[in-house]
Amino acid sequence: MARQYTLHRSTPTVTSGIDYRAALNEEQYAAVSSPPGRALVIAGAGSGKTRTLTYRVAWLLDHGIDAREVLLLTFTNKASREMTERVRELVPHDTSALWAGTFHSIGSRILRRHADDLGFTRSFSILDRDDQKSILNAVIGSLDIDTKQRRFPKADVLASIFSLIENTGASLEEVIASRYDQFYDWIAKIEEVRQGYIKKKQATNSMDFDDLLVLTVRLFEENPDVLDLYQQRFKNVLVDEYQDTNAVQGRMIDLLAGKHNSLMAVGDDAQSIYSWRGADMSLILGFPVRYPGAKVYIIEINYRSVPEILNLSNAAISANTGRFEKDLRSSREAIGTRPALVALPDPSTQAAFVAQRMLELRDEGVPLEEMAVLYRAHFQSLDIQMELTVRGIPFSITSGLRFFEQAHIKDVAAFMRFVVNRRDEVSFLRMVSLLPGLGPVAAAKLWSEWLKSGWAEKEELPPKWSDLFLNFKVPKKSAKHWEQLCFTLDELTPDGEFARPSAMIFSILEGVYKDYLDASFDNAESRRADIEQLSQYGGNFDDILEFLAQLSLMSSTDGQPTGDQSEADEGKVTLSSIHQAKGLEWKVVFLIWLVDGQFPNGRILEADDDELLEEERRLFYVALTRAKDELYLTYPMMNPKSYTGDVICRPSQFLEDFPAELVEEWNVGNEDAWSDDEPF
């Protein structure tokens, strides 16, 4: 029997010197200084959630906890960076051993160390949505599926279905019945595709984003020794935005916390708005039951909004029954102006009011970037976009492709991903398909030749790619370009070693991709600048595996709530869906289209589901609490664009959830008030 020996780590001789009582309010201090154990912190909107988590980490380090024993789980890379940077600024301790990151990045980090236990190699590729679609299309093509009579779901839809299954623990039948009932007759074939997709991922040594969570949980459940390793290390687990966790993330937290580790989960049940992604609000509401004896701390002092806005927000959310009781209190003085409730004749007049009021506020000294228009669905912004364009008011829309999702960035990444993971069929096909004359059939033949060579299964790199690939048969039209591709691959792995990421990107751009850019895009210069920027980003990495992992994680919105948006451009009004606005704030907020059928959403009203309606109300609450100084609630009384002709709009039922005296009704006036004789 092995001798037991306990290592007693020394208490740090240097502390931060932080006066925690002075730096925090009483509610924050109670949470930050709480003893080891299980704790749930309900941090209301604008109450300093990030500050609380950051100071909790500092408190732990100041009280003898080794940084390596702390795990901080977040939902966005931005939140992780902000918190770790703040901790470094607060404490003199070495925090390099602290693990902080998104659930997906932490899962990826763990799986890189233990992939062999699951039948993968440590150089596995991480699939983004386009990669998933490619594999799914290949699987569909290999199955006997007759789509002539009825439509079979596209790969993108299948990926969403499979993601819901993984993240919620629901069966295929349950997901189809609840969200995709039009495909109910296809269940057997869809299951065939799902099983084929799972096998294909294993065969190509690839994982999708859901696998980074699901396989981490499986690793822990099937390998108690591995789980024990991480439970022994992470004695203190902290979780941000706990209300957004899904079943898999909840299980991952439970496993890491085990029976004895400290766990602090921070979140706000009133801002749980992602059930459509699989978020399970019962995890935060049921925390005290799942962890008997857990302490619940409630932080109610709001540093963002004036009292008039908070009074309205508190009253609005009180209509929900499934929630923790709290009453946000403002740290600011009242300004004497209540939120405005503005009924307009129609959508175009609503847009005109918003635009005119923006110009007035700008003249009063409110910068345009401190104003936002929020809406339930993106299409509701069309009239606003048109009106702002006509009036010359600059605006930005928080939508569109992220930098790492762009096609040319993913093209360049395919070269690097293939040389790292020689079984990555998706990346190989994407890479060779860039060459002229190499269509899907020719590309597939090249892949077959590559597999026959035997190098796909070898751990070591080929001595020279060109010695091997130049013997492959390619169409005459492709021969010259194929030769250049071979020499480019040689540059990526000189002397049988991986070049640095920045050097790889330079070789790809100058070797084969520059000509493709010039021939394929009318904005080639702009795209080239993007790739050069990618090369600069790659300069921060020495390890190609780490670089590719970060590239894949940052290219996806999956598992990351869309509140992780860059701030609006200076001098521009922000137009945003409420989901994308979560976590952001502005001095002035216009919340538009507050009519039944638009907000709350019509499908939810038809479903007559109390839980879904309460989530819609939480979404309404999130919108209200984005405003710091002024809030305008607007709705059209008539919608002339309905297919059935002019339709009278019923004001949103959410407007009935609070006393009328909490808002100030505005009477915009009659048609004459909007004449061209009086400029706005």
Side-chain angles (χ1 to χ4, degrees):
M1 180 180 293
R3 177 183 296 185
Q4 294 297 320
Y5 183 84
T6 302
L7 181 65
H8 300 284
R9 295 186 179 273
S10 59
T11 302
T13 56
V14 179
T15 60
S16 67
I18 297 172
D19 185 343
Y20 288 93
R21 287 192 179 275
L24 304 167
N25 66 42
E26 186 176 337
E27 295 168 349
Q28 293 170 336
Y29 179 78
V32 166
S33 62
S34 61
R38 310 303 168 83
L40 174 64
V41 181
I42 301 297
S47 66
K49 169 181 64 66
T50 299
R51 186 177 185 83
T52 301
L53 265 175
T54 302
Y55 274 79
R56 175 62 175 179
V57 175
W59 174 276
L60 293 172
L61 299 180
D62 266 348
H63 287 75
I65 301 299
D66 193 309
R68 72 186 303 276
E69 296 179 349
V70 178
L71 171 64
L72 174 58
L73 291 165
T74 68
F75 272 83
T76 67
N77 291 304
K78 179 182 176 183
S80 174
R81 287 194 302 269
E82 285 182 354
M83 290 187 203
T84 51
E85 287 170 6
R86 290 193 195 183
V87 170
R88 290 192 193 102
E89 294 170 358
L90 284 172
V91 299
H93 315 293
D94 179 10
T95 60
S96 59
L98 185 151
W99 277 33
T102 65
F103 284 88
H104 293 85
S105 65
I106 295 298
S108 171
R109 193 169 178 179
I110 291 170
L111 291 170
R112 287 288 179 201
R113 299 181 173 198
H114 307 281
D116 297 347
D117 292 325
L118 297 169
F120 293 84
T121 74
R122 299 186 183 188
S123 62
F124 64 82
S125 294
I126 301 175
L127 306 172
D128 62 17
R129 183 51 69 95
D130 280 351
D131 300 330
Q132 287 181 273
K133 288 161 63 176
S134 296
I135 290 182
L136 285 167
N137 283 327
V139 172
I140 293 169
S142 68
L143 298 173
D144 181 23
I145 298 177
D146 181 9
T147 60
K148 294 180 180 178
Q149 300 298 321
R150 291 176 289 121
R151 288 184 179 273
F152 192 71
K154 299 290 187 182
D156 210 12
V157 176
L158 289 171
S160 296
I161 292 172
F162 300 160
S163 181
L164 278 171
I165 291 171
E166 299 292 2
N167 285 297
T168 65
S171 67
L172 173 61
E173 289 81 1
E174 289 170 334
V175 171
I176 294 292
S178 63
R179 306 199 187 196
Y180 302 92
D181 58 354
Q182 68 271 32
F183 300 128
Y184 198 82
D185 292 341
W186 282 116
I187 283 182
K189 288 297 183 183
I190 292 174
E191 179 61 22
E192 281 188 45
V193 173
R194 191 170 80 92
Q195 293 303 323
Y197 174 57
I198 293 171
K199 292 177 182 177
K200 192 75 168 177
K201 285 188 293 182
Q202 190 89 44
T204 59
N205 194 37
S206 302
M207 299 182 190
D208 61 29
F209 279 83
D210 296 323
D211 291 328
L212 299 180
L213 303 179
V214 174
L215 293 181
T216 299
V217 168
R218 188 176 123 196
L219 173 72
F220 288 159
E221 292 179 335
E222 295 180 355
N223 299 271
D225 55 331
V226 175
L227 174 60
D228 184 66
L229 176 71
Y230 289 96
Q231 286 180 341
Q232 290 296 324
R233 171 163 184 162
F234 300 128
K235 300 269 194 323
N236 295 271
V237 180
L238 297 95
V239 185
D240 187 23
E241 302 287 8
Y242 189 70
Q243 77 281 349
D244 294 332
T245 50
N246 60 37
V248 181
Q249 290 161 333
R251 179 61 178 155
M252 183 174 169
I253 293 166
D254 291 345
L255 288 167
L256 286 167
K259 294 182 179 180
H260 307 293
N261 288 338
S262 286
L263 169 63
M264 177 173 282
V266 181
D268 183 7
D269 57 296
Q271 297 187 70
S272 179
I273 58 175
Y274 295 110
S275 69
W276 50 278
R277 285 183 167 183
D280 185 354
M281 188 180 173
S282 70
L283 292 173
I284 190 170
L285 293 180
F287 189 94
V289 176
R290 226 170 53 260
Y291 295 106
K295 299 290 185 181
V296 178
Y297 300 90
I298 297 181
I299 303 177
E300 299 175 306
I301 298 177
N302 175 287
Y303 293 92
R304 176 187 300 154
S305 306
V306 294
E308 292 86 348
I309 291 174
L310 288 186
N311 292 339
L312 176 61
S313 304
N314 287 329
I317 198 62
S318 66
N320 274 7
T321 57
R323 66 190 186 93
F324 285 97
E325 288 289 340
K326 64 177 178 296
D327 187 30
L328 292 184
R329 307 184 307 279
S330 179
S331 65
R332 302 176 58 189
E333 295 292 329
I335 61 174
T337 302
R338 290 171 290 168
L341 179 61
V342 191
L344 288 311
D346 52 50
S348 63
T349 309
Q350 175 178 243
F353 167 77
V354 170
Q356 174 173 315
R357 190 69 189 120
M358 283 179 172
L359 293 176
E360 292 169 349
L361 289 165
R362 183 191 63 182
D363 292 342
E364 293 171 11
V366 181
L368 289 177
E369 62 266 26
E370 284 288 353
M371 305 180 206
V373 182
L374 304 183
Y375 34 81
R376 174 63 177 82
H378 183 68
F379 71 87
Q380 294 167 353
S381 70
L382 180 58
D383 291 294
I384 300 290
Q385 291 185 50
M386 293 173 63
E387 188 69 27
L388 296 182
T389 300
V390 168
R391 291 172 179 265
I393 301 175
F395 63 91
S396 62
I397 303 175
T398 56
S399 58
L401 292 176
R402 297 172 183 239
F403 179 86
F404 296 100
E405 290 178 319
Q406 298 175 102
H408 50 294
I409 300 298
K410 292 171 70 174
D411 287 343
V412 171
F415 288 78
M416 296 182 283
R417 289 173 56 173
F418 171 67
V419 297
V420 166
N421 177 15
R422 274 80 68 191
R423 288 158 56 188
D424 188 340
E425 181 181 0
V426 171
S427 294
F428 178 91
L429 295 178
R430 183 174 191 129
M431 175 181 70
V432 301
S433 296
L434 297 173
L435 306 184
L438 277 175
V441 174
K445 289 181 179 178
L446 286 171
W447 176 251
S448 295
E449 283 198 63
W450 167 242
L451 292 180
K452 290 176 183 176
S453 73
W455 278 99
E457 299 297 327
K458 294 183 180 181
E459 288 291 330
E460 66 271 20
L461 290 162
K464 286 191 72 174
W465 294 92
S466 53
D467 288 346
L468 181 66
F469 274 9
L470 286 176
N471 295 319
F472 288 11
K473 295 180 180 179
V474 296
K476 184 177 294 186
K477 182 180 179 181
S478 310
K480 180 180 177 182
H481 300 278
W482 177 253
E483 181 179 12
Q484 183 58 58
L485 181 143
C486 295
F487 294 140
T488 297
L489 292 178
D490 287 343
E491 293 181 17
L492 303 189
T493 57
D495 303 319
E497 300 288 339
F498 295 123
R500 295 191 67 210
S502 57
M504 284 190 176
I505 295 166
F506 178 81
S507 293
I508 295 164
L509 177 60
E510 295 301 318
V512 291
Y513 202 68
K514 180 177 179 293
D515 290 340
Y516 175 79
L517 277 179
D518 292 336
S520 304
F521 303 105
D522 57 2
N523 60 343
E525 283 298 324
S526 174
R527 291 175 184 258
R528 187 179 298 112
D530 283 342
I531 296 172
E532 290 169 354
Q533 185 65 40
L534 178 67
S535 181
Q536 287 186 3
Y537 176 71
N540 297 320
F541 299 83
D542 292 320
D543 184 354
I544 185 62
L545 287 176
E546 183 183 355
F547 172 73
L548 290 176
Q550 284 301 310
L551 200 66
S552 296
L553 289 166
M554 295 178 71
S555 74
S556 176
T557 57
D558 290 347
Q560 292 189 33
T562 50
D564 186 21
Q565 298 283 344
S566 58
E567 295 184 7
D569 294 341
E570 185 176 352
K572 294 182 180 181
V573 171
T574 298
L575 273 58
S576 175
S577 71
I578 303 169
H579 282 101
Q580 290 172 315
K582 184 173 175 291
L584 304 179
E585 59 183 38
W586 296 269
K587 286 184 179 294
V588 181
V589 168
F590 296 87
L591 181 54
I592 63 172
W593 272 105
L594 287 172
V595 299
D596 277 351
Q598 301 287 345
F599 194 15
N601 179 275
R603 291 190 302 275
I604 289 173
L605 291 178
E606 292 172 5
D608 194 25
D609 186 313
D610 289 341
E611 288 188 9
L612 292 177
L613 186 60
E614 290 210 348
E615 177 161 342
E616 283 287 283
R617 189 176 284 108
R618 293 194 294 271
L619 191 61
F620 180 58
Y621 173 83
V622 167
L624 300 180
T625 53
R626 298 311 93 199
K628 295 193 283 188
D629 299 342
E630 296 187 39
L631 174 64
Y632 296 85
L633 310 176
T634 73
Y635 64 91
M637 295 181 285
M638 188 82 70
N639 184 6
K641 296 182 178 180
S642 171
Y643 290 116
T644 56
D646 290 0
V647 172
I648 296 176
C649 297
R650 183 183 184 278
S652 171
Q653 58 186 267
F654 296 152
L655 300 177
E656 302 171 1
D657 290 337
F658 50 80
E661 60 266 22
L662 293 182
V663 295
E664 179 183 25
E665 292 193 35
W666 285 33
N667 183 3
V668 172
N670 56 37
E671 187 69 19
D672 291 339
W674 302 94
S675 69
D676 293 336
D677 296 333
E678 297 183 17
F680 292 170

